[in-house]
Amino acid sequence: MIFADLHYRGSYYDEHDRLLAFIESRFDSVQGGVQSESWISIGEGRTKVSLDTFDAMTHQVKSRTAGAHVDLVLKVLAEKYQLKTNSKPELEPHEDTFGNSVG
């Protein structure tokens, strides 16, 4: 589910290293990279939050479930970035109406 979109100047490619460094300074379990798209993963398992550009031209905040883990990441991101939060999380293109991955 998509919880928010980040807004910044420039391309996601240019912002990736700054965003990754900021997230790594605030969270312990972080991975990230760029392979034609930017991706950053915070946490593990059901509490994992992803920041990626798979479906957009800027980073989106995504998680399989809502909860405190998402709220914390949004709070931290709001310290440095302008966010457009979704009042109701949007499904990603590969999710069905029940929030399950399809295919």
Side-chain angles (χ1 to χ4, degrees), residues 12-49:
Y12 68 80
Y13 186 83
D14 294 336
E15 191 62 30
H16 173 83
D17 288 338
R18 286 185 290 267
L19 177 57
L20 180 59
F22 177 66
I23 292 299
E24 286 178 328
S25 75
R26 301 299 300 274
F27 296 96
D28 292 329
S29 181
V30 177
Q31 297 179 327
V34 177
Q35 289 183 317
S36 75
E37 302 292 340
S38 170
W39 64 273
I40 298 170
S41 177
I42 306 161
E44 298 176 7
R46 296 196 61 80
T47 61
K48 182 170 96 173
V49 176

Side-chain angles (χ1 to χ4, degrees), residues 45-70:
R46 296 196 61 80
T47 61
K48 182 170 96 173
V49 176
S50 299
L51 309 175
D52 66 47
T53 59
F54 297 150
D55 301 312
M57 295 307 294
T58 61
H59 289 86
Q60 295 179 310
V61 179
K62 302 175 181 179
S63 182
R64 288 183 179 214
T65 60
H69 62 295
V70 175

Side-chain angles (χ1 to χ4, degrees), residues 1-4 61-66 89-92 95 99:
M1 294 183 288
I2 303 168
F3 291 87
V61 179
K62 302 175 181 179
S63 182
R64 288 183 179 214
T65 60
E90 296 177 12
L91 294 178
E92 292 184 71
E95 294 176 317

